[in-house]
Amino acid sequence: MFKRKSKLKREYDERLRSLMVETRTEWEQAKIIEQHLDDYDQEVIIRRKIAESKHFYLYKEAKARKLGSE
């Protein structure tokens, strides 16, 4: 019974890590796009802020789960 819980935790922790990588690349791409714009485009700025918020939410979740200590 405890092995299943351990297996599920590892599975979800791995999924969290992959989501963090995905959101980090999405955030980086949004920053690059925003830097290359000549004019002020509110949609691009909003997309960057959303990507940044997602990444930091996942970061706080990973910190709460103590993923960095493994």
Side-chain angles (χ1 to χ4, degrees):
M1 181 174 191
F2 291 110
K3 289 184 181 185
R4 180 174 180 209
K5 187 175 181 180
S6 171
K7 181 180 176 185
L8 284 175
K9 183 181 180 330
R10 272 188 307 220
E11 214 174 282
Y12 283 112
D13 287 349
E14 187 58 40
R15 181 142 191 259
L16 179 60
R17 282 186 186 103
S18 66
L19 279 173
M20 286 181 67
V21 170
E22 288 176 24
T23 57
R24 178 68 181 198
T25 56
E26 182 181 335
W27 179 30
E28 293 291 329
Q29 289 173 350
K31 285 195 311 188
I32 291 170
I33 290 171
E34 186 178 4
Q35 289 173 355
H36 289 294
L37 286 178
D38 291 336
D39 58 341
Y40 181 81
D41 190 4
Q42 191 173 11
E43 183 180 345
V44 174
I45 294 170
I46 290 170
R47 287 181 189 259
R48 179 193 48 87
K49 287 184 179 185
I50 289 171
E52 182 179 6
S53 297
K54 284 180 185 178
H55 177 72
F56 281 113
Y57 173 79
L58 293 173
Y59 178 79
K60 286 178 12 179
E61 182 68 26
K63 191 173 180 180
R65 290 184 181 203
K66 299 177 184 175
L67 288 183
S69 63
E70 294 177 359

Coordinates of all heavy atoms in Angstrom, one line a residue:
M1 N 0.8 -1.2 0.0 CA 0.0 0.0 0.0 C 0.9 1.3 0.0 O 0.6 2.2 -0.7 CB -0.9 0.0 1.2 CG -1.8 1.2 1.3 SD -3.0 0.9 2.6 CE -4.1 2.2 2.3
F2 N 1.9 1.3 0.8 CA 2.8 2.4 0.8 C 3.6 2.6 -0.4 O 4.0 3.7 -0.8 CB 3.7 2.4 2.1 CG 2.9 2.6 3.4 CD1 2.7 1.5 4.2 CD2 2.3 3.8 3.6 CE1 2.0 1.7 5.4 CE2 1.6 4.0 4.8 CZ 1.4 3.0 5.7
K3 N 3.9 1.4 -1.1 CA 4.7 1.5 -2.3 C 3.9 2.2 -3.4 O 4.5 2.9 -4.2 CB 5.1 0.1 -2.7 CG 6.1 -0.6 -1.9 CD 6.5 -1.9 -2.4 CE 7.5 -2.5 -1.4 NZ 8.1 -3.8 -1.9
R4 N 2.6 2.0 -3.4 CA 1.8 2.6 -4.4 C 1.8 4.1 -4.2 O 1.9 4.9 -5.1 CB 0.4 2.1 -4.4 CG -0.5 2.7 -5.4 CD -1.8 2.1 -5.5 NE -2.6 2.8 -6.5 CZ -3.9 2.9 -6.5 NH1 -4.6 2.4 -5.5 NH2 -4.5 3.6 -7.4
K5 N 1.7 4.6 -3.0 CA 1.7 6.0 -2.6 C 3.1 6.6 -3.1 O 3.1 7.7 -3.6 CB 1.5 6.2 -1.1 CG 1.3 7.6 -0.7 CD 1.0 7.7 0.7 CE 0.8 9.2 1.1 NZ 0.5 9.3 2.5
S6 N 4.1 5.9 -2.8 CA 5.5 6.3 -3.2 C 5.6 6.4 -4.7 O 6.2 7.4 -5.2 CB 6.5 5.4 -2.6 OG 7.8 5.7 -3.1
K7 N 5.0 5.4 -5.4 CA 5.1 5.4 -6.8 C 4.3 6.6 -7.4 O 4.8 7.3 -8.3 CB 4.6 4.1 -7.4 CG 4.6 4.0 -8.9 CD 4.0 2.7 -9.4 CE 4.0 2.6 -10.9 NZ 3.3 1.4 -11.3
L8 N 3.1 6.9 -6.9 CA 2.3 8.0 -7.3 C 3.0 9.3 -7.1 O 3.0 10.2 -7.9 CB 1.0 8.0 -6.7 CG 0.0 6.9 -7.2 CD1 -1.3 7.0 -6.3 CD2 -0.4 7.2 -8.6
K9 N 3.7 9.4 -5.9 CA 4.4 10.7 -5.6 C 5.5 10.9 -6.6 O 5.7 12.0 -7.1 CB 4.9 10.6 -4.2 CG 5.6 11.9 -3.8 CD 6.2 11.9 -2.4 CE 6.9 13.1 -1.9 NZ 7.5 13.9 -2.9
R10 N 6.3 9.9 -6.9 CA 7.3 10.0 -7.9 C 6.8 10.4 -9.2 O 7.4 11.3 -9.9 CB 8.1 8.7 -8.0 CG 9.3 8.6 -7.0 CD 10.1 7.4 -7.4 NE 9.1 6.3 -7.4 CZ 9.3 5.1 -7.0 NH1 10.4 4.8 -6.5 NH2 8.4 4.2 -7.1
E11 N 5.7 9.8 -9.6 CA 5.1 10.1 -10.9 C 4.6 11.5 -11.0 O 4.9 12.2 -12.0 CB 3.8 9.2 -11.0 CG 3.5 8.7 -12.4 CD 2.4 7.7 -12.5 OE1 2.6 6.6 -12.1 OE2 1.3 8.2 -12.8
Y12 N 3.9 12.0 -10.0 CA 3.5 13.4 -10.0 C 4.6 14.4 -9.8 O 4.6 15.5 -10.4 CB 2.4 13.6 -8.9 CG 1.1 13.1 -9.3 CD1 0.5 12.0 -8.6 CD2 0.4 13.7 -10.3 CE1 -0.7 11.5 -9.0 CE2 -0.9 13.1 -10.7 CZ -1.4 12.1 -10.0 OH -2.6 11.6 -10.4
D13 N 5.7 14.0 -9.1 CA 6.8 14.9 -9.0 C 7.5 15.0 -10.3 O 7.9 16.1 -10.7 CB 7.8 14.4 -7.9 CG 7.3 14.6 -6.5 OD1 6.3 15.3 -6.3 OD2 7.9 14.0 -5.6
E14 N 7.6 13.9 -11.0 CA 8.2 14.0 -12.4 C 7.4 14.8 -13.3 O 7.9 15.6 -14.1 CB 8.4 12.6 -12.9 CG 9.2 12.5 -14.2 CD 10.6 13.1 -14.1 OE1 11.2 12.9 -13.1 OE2 11.0 13.8 -15.0
R15 N 6.1 14.7 -13.2 CA 5.2 15.5 -14.1 C 5.4 17.0 -13.7 O 5.4 17.8 -14.6 CB 3.8 15.1 -13.9 CG 2.8 15.9 -14.7 CD 1.7 15.0 -15.3 NE 1.0 15.7 -16.3 CZ -0.2 16.3 -16.1 NH1 -0.8 16.2 -14.9 NH2 -0.8 17.0 -17.1
L16 N 5.5 17.3 -12.4 CA 5.7 18.7 -12.0 C 7.0 19.2 -12.6 O 7.1 20.4 -13.1 CB 5.7 18.8 -10.5 CG 5.9 20.1 -9.9 CD1 4.8 21.1 -10.3 CD2 5.9 20.0 -8.4
R17 N 8.0 18.4 -12.6 CA 9.3 18.9 -13.1 C 9.2 19.2 -14.6 O 9.7 20.2 -15.1 CB 10.4 17.8 -12.9 CG 10.9 17.7 -11.5 CD 12.1 16.7 -11.4 NE 12.5 16.6 -10.1 CZ 12.2 15.5 -9.3 NH1 11.5 14.5 -9.8 NH2 12.6 15.5 -8.1
S18 N 8.5 18.3 -15.3 CA 8.4 18.5 -16.8 C 7.5 19.7 -17.1 O 7.8 20.5 -18.0 CB 7.8 17.3 -17.5 OG 6.5 17.0 -17.1
L19 N 6.5 19.9 -16.3 CA 5.7 21.2 -16.4 C 6.5 22.4 -16.1 O 6.3 23.4 -16.8 CB 4.5 21.1 -15.5 CG 3.3 20.3 -16.0 CD1 2.2 20.2 -14.9 CD2 2.7 20.9 -17.2
M20 N 7.4 22.3 -15.2 CA 8.2 23.5 -14.9 C 9.1 23.8 -16.0 O 9.4 25.0 -16.4 CB 9.0 23.2 -13.6 CG 8.2 23.3 -12.3 SD 9.2 23.1 -10.9 CE 10.2 24.5 -10.9
V21 N 9.7 22.8 -16.7 CA 10.5 23.0 -17.8 C 9.7 23.6 -19.0 O 10.2 24.6 -19.6 CB 11.2 21.7 -18.3 CG1 11.9 21.8 -19.6 CG2 12.2 21.2 -17.2
E22 N 8.5 23.1 -19.2 CA 7.7 23.6 -20.3 C 7.3 25.1 -20.1 O 7.4 25.9 -21.0 CB 6.4 22.8 -20.4 CG 6.6 21.4 -21.0 CD 5.3 20.6 -21.0 OE1 4.2 21.2 -20.9 OE2 5.4 19.4 -21.0
T23 N 6.9 25.4 -18.8 CA 6.5 26.8 -18.6 C 7.7 27.7 -18.6 O 7.6 28.8 -19.0 CB 5.8 26.9 -17.2 OG1 6.6 26.4 -16.2 CG2 4.5 26.2 -17.2
R24 N 8.9 27.2 -18.2 CA 10.1 28.0 -18.3 C 10.4 28.4 -19.7 O 10.7 29.5 -20.0 CB 11.3 27.3 -17.6 CG 12.6 28.0 -17.6 CD 12.5 29.2 -16.8 NE 13.8 29.9 -16.8 CZ 14.2 30.8 -16.0 NH1 13.4 31.1 -14.9 NH2 15.3 31.4 -16.1
T25 N 10.3 27.4 -20.6 CA 10.6 27.7 -22.0 C 9.6 28.6 -22.6 O 9.9 29.5 -23.4 CB 10.7 26.4 -22.9 OG1 9.5 25.6 -22.7 CG2 11.9 25.6 -22.4
E26 N 8.3 28.4 -22.2 CA 7.2 29.3 -22.7 C 7.4 30.7 -22.3 O 7.3 31.6 -23.0 CB 5.9 28.7 -22.2 CG 4.7 29.5 -22.6 CD 3.4 28.9 -22.1 OE1 3.4 27.8 -21.7 OE2 2.5 29.7 -21.9
W27 N 7.9 30.9 -21.0 CA 8.1 32.2 -20.5 C 9.3 32.8 -21.2 O 9.3 34.0 -21.5 CB 8.4 32.0 -19.0 CG 8.7 33.3 -18.2 CD1 8.3 34.6 -18.5 CD2 9.5 33.4 -17.1 NE1 8.8 35.5 -17.6 CE2 9.5 34.8 -16.7 CE3 10.2 32.5 -16.3 CZ2 10.2 35.2 -15.6 CZ3 10.9 33.0 -15.2 CH2 10.9 34.3 -14.9
E28 N 10.4 32.1 -21.4 CA 11.5 32.6 -22.1 C 11.2 33.0 -23.5 O 11.6 34.1 -24.0 CB 12.7 31.6 -22.2 CG 13.3 31.2 -20.8 CD 14.1 32.4 -20.2 OE1 14.7 33.1 -21.0 OE2 14.1 32.5 -19.0
Q29 N 10.4 32.2 -24.2 CA 10.0 32.6 -25.6 C 9.1 33.8 -25.6 O 9.3 34.7 -26.5 CB 9.2 31.4 -26.2 CG 10.1 30.2 -26.6 CD 9.2 29.1 -27.0 OE1 8.0 29.1 -26.9 NE2 9.9 28.0 -27.5
A30 N 8.2 34.0 -24.6 CA 7.4 35.2 -24.5 C 8.2 36.4 -24.3 O 8.0 37.5 -24.8 CB 6.3 35.0 -23.4
K31 N 9.3 36.3 -23.4 CA 10.2 37.4 -23.2 C 10.9 37.8 -24.4 O 11.1 39.0 -24.7 CB 11.2 37.1 -22.1 CG 10.6 37.1 -20.7 CD 11.6 37.1 -19.6 CE 12.7 36.1 -19.6 NZ 13.5 36.0 -18.4
I32 N 11.4 36.8 -25.2 CA 12.1 37.1 -26.4 C 11.2 37.8 -27.5 O 11.6 38.8 -28.1 CB 12.7 35.8 -27.0 CG1 13.8 35.3 -26.1 CG2 13.2 36.1 -28.5 CD1 14.3 34.0 -26.5
I33 N 10.0 37.3 -27.6 CA 9.0 38.0 -28.5 C 8.7 39.4 -28.1 O 8.7 40.3 -28.9 CB 7.7 37.1 -28.6 CG1 8.0 35.8 -29.3 CG2 6.6 37.9 -29.3 CD1 6.8 34.8 -29.2
E34 N 8.6 39.6 -26.8 CA 8.3 41.0 -26.3 C 9.5 41.9 -26.6 O 9.3 43.1 -26.9 CB 8.0 40.9 -24.8 CG 7.5 42.2 -24.2 CD 7.2 42.1 -22.7 OE1 7.4 41.0 -22.1 OE2 6.8 43.1 -22.2
Q35 N 10.7 41.4 -26.5 CA 11.9 42.2 -26.7 C 12.0 42.6 -28.2 O 12.5 43.7 -28.5 CB 13.1 41.5 -26.3 CG 13.3 41.4 -24.8 CD 14.5 40.5 -24.4 OE1 15.1 39.9 -25.3 NE2 14.7 40.4 -23.1
H36 N 11.5 41.8 -29.1 CA 11.7 42.1 -30.5 C 10.5 42.9 -31.1 O 10.6 43.2 -32.3 CB 11.8 40.7 -31.3 CG 13.1 40.1 -31.0 ND1 14.3 40.6 -31.4 CD2 13.4 38.9 -30.4 CE1 15.3 39.8 -31.1 NE2 14.8 38.8 -30.4
L37 N 9.5 43.2 -30.3 CA 8.4 44.0 -30.8 C 8.9 45.5 -30.9 O 9.5 46.0 -30.1 CB 7.2 43.9 -29.9 CG 6.4 42.6 -30.0 CD1 5.3 42.6 -29.0 CD2 5.9 42.4 -31.4
D38 N 8.4 46.1 -32.0 CA 8.7 47.5 -32.2 C 7.6 48.4 -31.5 O 7.9 49.5 -31.0 CB 8.7 47.9 -33.7 CG 9.9 47.3 -34.4 OD1 10.9 47.0 -33.7 OD2 9.9 47.1 -35.6
D39 N 6.4 47.9 -31.5 CA 5.4 48.7 -30.9 C 4.8 48.0 -29.6 O 5.2 46.9 -29.3 CB 4.2 48.9 -31.9 CG 3.6 47.6 -32.4 OD1 4.3 46.6 -32.2 OD2 2.5 47.6 -32.9
Y40 N 4.0 48.7 -28.9 CA 3.4 48.2 -27.7 C 2.2 47.3 -28.0 O 1.2 47.7 -28.5 CB 2.9 49.4 -26.8 CG 2.4 49.0 -25.5 CD1 3.2 48.7 -24.4 CD2 1.0 48.9 -25.3 CE1 2.7 48.4 -23.2 CE2 0.5 48.6 -24.1 CZ 1.3 48.4 -23.0 OH 0.8 48.0 -21.8
D41 N 2.4 46.0 -27.7 CA 1.3 45.0 -27.9 C 0.9 44.4 -26.6 O 1.6 43.7 -26.0 CB 1.8 43.9 -28.9 CG 0.6 43.1 -29.3 OD1 -0.5 43.3 -29.0 OD2 0.9 42.1 -30.1
Q42 N -0.3 44.8 -26.1 CA -0.8 44.4 -24.8 C -1.0 42.9 -24.7 O -0.7 42.3 -23.7 CB -2.1 45.1 -24.5 CG -2.5 44.9 -23.0 CD -3.7 45.8 -22.7 OE1 -4.3 46.4 -23.6 NE2 -4.0 45.9 -21.4
E43 N -1.4 42.2 -25.8 CA -1.6 40.8 -25.8 C -0.3 40.0 -25.5 O -0.3 39.0 -24.7 CB -2.2 40.3 -27.1 CG -2.5 38.8 -27.1 CD -3.2 38.3 -28.4 OE1 -3.6 39.2 -29.2 OE2 -3.2 37.1 -28.6
V44 N 0.8 40.4 -26.1 CA 2.1 39.8 -25.9 C 2.5 40.0 -24.4 O 3.1 39.0 -23.8 CB 3.1 40.4 -26.9 CG1 4.5 39.8 -26.6 CG2 2.7 40.1 -28.3
I45 N 2.3 41.1 -23.9 CA 2.7 41.4 -22.5 C 1.9 40.5 -21.6 O 2.4 39.9 -20.6 CB 2.6 42.9 -22.2 CG1 3.6 43.7 -23.0 CG2 2.8 43.1 -20.7 CD1 3.4 45.2 -22.9
I46 N 0.6 40.4 -21.8 CA -0.3 39.6 -21.0 C 0.1 38.1 -21.1 O 0.2 37.4 -20.1 CB -1.7 39.8 -21.4 CG1 -2.2 41.1 -21.1 CG2 -2.6 38.7 -20.8 CD1 -3.6 41.5 -21.6
R47 N 0.5 37.6 -22.3 CA 0.9 36.2 -22.4 C 2.2 36.0 -21.6 O 2.4 34.9 -21.0 CB 1.1 35.9 -23.9 CG -0.2 35.7 -24.6 CD 0.1 35.3 -26.1 NE -1.1 35.4 -26.9 CZ -1.8 34.3 -27.2 NH1 -1.4 33.1 -26.8 NH2 -2.9 34.4 -27.9
R48 N 3.1 36.9 -21.6 CA 4.4 36.8 -20.9 C 4.1 36.7 -19.4 O 4.6 35.9 -18.7 CB 5.3 37.9 -21.2 CG 6.6 37.8 -20.4 CD 7.5 39.0 -20.3 NE 6.8 40.3 -20.1 CZ 6.6 40.8 -18.8 NH1 7.0 40.1 -17.8 NH2 6.0 41.9 -18.7
K49 N 3.2 37.6 -18.9 CA 2.9 37.6 -17.5 C 2.2 36.3 -17.1 O 2.4 35.8 -16.0 CB 2.0 38.8 -17.2 CG 2.8 40.1 -17.2 CD 2.0 41.3 -16.8 CE 2.8 42.6 -16.8 NZ 2.1 43.7 -16.3
I50 N 1.3 35.8 -17.9 CA 0.6 34.6 -17.6 C 1.6 33.4 -17.5 O 1.6 32.6 -16.6 CB -0.5 34.2 -18.7 CG1 -1.6 35.2 -18.5 CG2 -0.9 32.8 -18.5 CD1 -2.7 35.1 -19.6
A51 N 2.5 33.4 -18.5 CA 3.6 32.3 -18.5 C 4.5 32.4 -17.2 O 4.8 31.4 -16.6 CB 4.4 32.4 -19.7
E52 N 4.8 33.6 -16.9 CA 5.6 33.9 -15.7 C 4.9 33.4 -14.4 O 5.5 32.8 -13.6 CB 6.0 35.4 -15.6 CG 6.9 35.7 -14.4 CD 7.2 37.2 -14.4 OE1 6.6 38.0 -15.2 OE2 8.0 37.6 -13.6
S53 N 3.6 33.8 -14.3 CA 2.8 33.4 -13.2 C 2.7 31.9 -13.0 O 2.8 31.3 -11.9 CB 1.4 34.0 -13.3 OG 1.5 35.4 -13.2
K54 N 2.5 31.2 -14.2 CA 2.4 29.7 -14.2 C 3.7 29.1 -13.6 O 3.7 28.2 -12.8 CB 2.1 29.2 -15.6 CG 0.7 29.4 -16.0 CD 0.6 28.8 -17.4 CE -0.8 29.0 -18.0 NZ -0.8 28.5 -19.4
H55 N 4.8 29.6 -14.2 CA 6.1 29.1 -13.8 C 6.3 29.3 -12.3 O 6.8 28.3 -11.6 CB 7.2 29.7 -14.6 CG 8.6 29.2 -14.2 ND1 9.0 28.0 -14.5 CD2 9.5 29.8 -13.5 CE1 10.2 27.8 -14.0 NE2 10.5 28.9 -13.3
F56 N 6.1 30.5 -11.8 CA 6.3 30.7 -10.4 C 5.4 29.9 -9.4 O 5.7 29.6 -8.3 CB 6.4 32.2 -10.0 CG 7.7 32.8 -10.4 CD1 7.7 33.7 -11.5 CD2 8.8 32.4 -9.8 CE1 8.9 34.3 -11.8 CE2 10.1 33.0 -10.2 CZ 10.1 33.9 -11.2
Y57 N 4.1 29.7 -9.9 CA 3.2 28.9 -9.1 C 3.8 27.5 -9.0 O 3.8 26.9 -7.9 CB 1.8 28.9 -9.8 CG 0.9 27.9 -9.1 CD1 0.3 28.2 -7.9 CD2 0.7 26.6 -9.6 CE1 -0.5 27.3 -7.3 CE2 -0.2 25.7 -9.0 CZ -0.8 26.1 -7.8 OH -1.6 25.2 -7.2
L58 N 4.2 26.9 -10.1 CA 4.8 25.6 -10.1 C 6.1 25.5 -9.3 O 6.3 24.5 -8.6 CB 5.1 25.1 -11.5 CG 3.8 24.8 -12.4 CD1 4.2 24.5 -13.8 CD2 3.0 23.7 -11.8
Y59 N 6.8 26.6 -9.3 CA 8.1 26.7 -8.5 C 7.7 26.6 -7.0 O 8.4 25.9 -6.3 CB 8.8 27.9 -8.9 CG 10.1 28.1 -8.0 CD1 11.2 27.5 -8.3 CD2 10.1 29.0 -7.0 CE1 12.4 27.6 -7.6 CE2 11.2 29.2 -6.2 CZ 12.4 28.5 -6.5 OH 13.5 28.6 -5.8
K60 N 6.7 27.4 -6.6 CA 6.3 27.3 -5.2 C 5.8 26.0 -4.8 O 6.0 25.5 -3.7 CB 5.3 28.4 -4.9 CG 5.9 29.8 -4.9 CD 5.0 31.0 -4.7 CE 3.6 30.8 -4.3 NZ 2.9 32.1 -4.1
E61 N 5.1 25.3 -5.7 CA 4.6 24.0 -5.4 C 5.7 23.0 -5.3 O 5.7 22.1 -4.4 CB 3.6 23.5 -6.6 CG 3.0 22.2 -6.3 CD 2.0 22.1 -5.2 OE1 1.4 23.1 -4.8 OE2 1.9 21.0 -4.6
A62 N 6.7 23.1 -6.1 CA 7.9 22.2 -6.1 C 8.7 22.5 -4.8 O 9.2 21.5 -4.1 CB 8.8 22.4 -7.3
K63 N 8.7 23.7 -4.4 CA 9.4 24.1 -3.1 C 8.7 23.5 -1.9 O 9.3 23.0 -1.0 CB 9.6 25.6 -3.0 CG 10.4 26.0 -1.9 CD 10.6 27.5 -2.0 CE 11.5 28.0 -0.9 NZ 11.7 29.4 -0.9
A64 N 7.4 23.5 -2.0 CA 6.6 22.9 -0.9 C 6.7 21.4 -0.8 O 6.7 20.8 0.3 CB 5.1 23.3 -1.1
R65 N 6.9 20.8 -2.0 CA 7.1 19.3 -2.0 C 8.5 18.9 -1.8 O 8.9 17.8 -1.8 CB 6.7 18.8 -3.4 CG 5.2 18.8 -3.6 CD 4.9 18.2 -4.9 NE 3.5 18.2 -5.2 CZ 2.9 17.4 -6.1 NH1 3.6 16.4 -6.7 NH2 1.6 17.5 -6.3
K66 N 9.4 19.9 -1.7 CA 10.8 19.7 -1.5 C 11.5 18.9 -2.6 O 12.2 17.9 -2.3 CB 11.1 19.1 -0.1 CG 10.6 20.0 1.0 CD 10.8 19.3 2.4 CE 10.2 20.2 3.4 NZ 10.2 19.7 4.7
L67 N 11.2 19.2 -3.8 CA 11.7 18.5 -5.0 C 13.2 18.7 -5.2 O 13.9 17.9 -5.7 CB 11.0 18.9 -6.2 CG 9.6 18.3 -6.4 CD1 9.0 18.7 -7.7 CD2 9.5 16.9 -6.2
G68 N 13.7 19.9 -4.8 CA 15.1 20.2 -5.0 C 16.1 19.4 -4.1 O 17.3 19.3 -4.4
S69 N 15.6 18.8 -3.0 CA 16.4 18.1 -2.1 C 16.7 16.7 -2.5 O 17.5 16.0 -1.9 CB 15.8 18.1 -0.7 OG 14.6 17.4 -0.7
E70 N 16.1 16.2 -3.6 CA 16.3 14.8 -4.0 C 17.5 14.7 -4.9 O 17.9 15.5 -5.6 CB 15.1 14.3 -4.7 CG 13.9 14.2 -3.8 CD 12.6 13.8 -4.5 OE1 12.7 13.6 -5.8 OE2 11.6 13.6 -3.9

